[in-house]
Amino acid sequence: MHPPMPDVQLTFETLAGPALHGLLPDLARLRITVFRDWPYLYEGDETYERGYIRDYADAPGAAVVVCRDGAQVVGAATCQPMTQGHAPVRQAFEAAGLDPAQHCYFGESVLLAPWRGRGAGVRFFVEREAHARRVGLRHVAFCAVRRDPADPRCPAGYVPLDAFWRRRGYTPRPGLTVTFDWTEVGATQATAHTLDFWTRDLGA
């Protein structure tokens, strides 16, 4: 449970291109803060993160859904045609006999803890799916890190998001995985992490 907060009115805006440039510091810090926690345990670097978000700003067809409470950026979700994204993602789909050109890739959905449980997660999917349709794509995919449920670092009471994703119409794709390297909190060097894909057909 999150502590009670005064009523807030979250706003959502789908941004692309130069409109994102002024938000690079906020979005970089947001990713670092959220991904530092379980299950990613990511030791982020702000310089790298600004470049990561700038890549979305500079990629044709890409967009970031920005969530604000007033003027404060409290969440964000990214999406782009898979052909414009990370090479390992494209290669994983090609190896599985799937056409990356038919898919929109949802990179991440991050929200600061005090604002969770207020519908932002659903809204992030709705807005990204709408963007996928606008760019002519009817298949969408995202990936999530695979963790051992018995890992002692897993917080007590942690609930995976699988049920939420299924309610949104997403299906896990066994055997469809990608590997990314990152440095975990407290570590001195990057290690490989396996991420599993979930997909959805948005229909006609």
Side-chain angles (χ1 to χ4, degrees):
M1 289 287 292
H2 303 302
M5 291 179 62
D7 288 340
V8 298
Q9 184 64 48
L10 297 179
T11 60
F12 297 83
E13 188 176 17
T14 301
L15 300 175
L20 286 166
H21 289 172
L23 294 176
L24 295 180
D26 289 337
L27 296 174
R29 289 190 291 269
L30 179 65
R31 273 180 43 91
I32 290 170
T33 299
V34 174
F35 282 135
R36 186 176 180 84
D37 293 336
W38 180 268
Y40 287 88
L41 302 177
Y42 168 62
E43 186 69 82
D45 173 81
E46 188 165 337
T47 299
Y48 169 83
E49 293 300 327
R50 290 192 189 198
Y52 175 89
I53 298 296
R54 181 177 286 275
D55 286 345
Y56 276 94
D58 294 341
V64 179
V65 182
V66 177
C67 173
R68 294 183 177 91
D69 177 6
Q72 181 182 1
V73 175
V74 300
T78 61
C79 56
Q80 65 184 153
M82 190 176 287
T83 53
Q84 298 173 358
H86 309 292
V89 171
R90 297 195 305 272
Q91 292 161 2
F93 272 63
E94 290 166 349
L98 300 170
D99 183 2
Q102 296 183 6
H103 289 79
C104 187
Y105 174 61
F106 294 173
E108 60 269 297
S109 176
V110 290
L111 185 70
L112 295 176
W115 285 268
R116 295 172 191 166
R118 299 170 181 270
V122 171
R123 185 68 178 270
F124 282 150
F125 274 109
V126 169
E127 297 298 334
R128 290 184 295 179
E129 289 162 6
H131 181 76
R133 290 186 175 98
R134 283 195 295 271
V135 297
L137 298 173
R138 295 295 184 269
H139 299 277
V140 294
F142 69 88
C143 57
V145 67
R146 182 190 301 174
R147 289 293 193 184
D148 180 354
D151 190 314
R153 299 172 298 177
C154 180
Y158 172 76
V159 179
L161 292 173
D162 298 41
F164 169 72
W165 295 330
R166 290 181 189 276
R167 289 195 299 271
R168 293 298 315 155
Y170 289 80
T171 303
R173 299 294 297 262
L176 183 56
T177 66
V178 66
T179 300
F180 287 118
D181 296 346
W182 67 78
T183 302
E184 293 191 353
V185 175
T188 58
Q189 60 184 14
T191 54
H193 299 78
T194 299
L195 293 89
D196 299 304
F197 281 98
W198 293 63
T199 62
R200 181 184 178 192
D201 181 351
L202 297 179

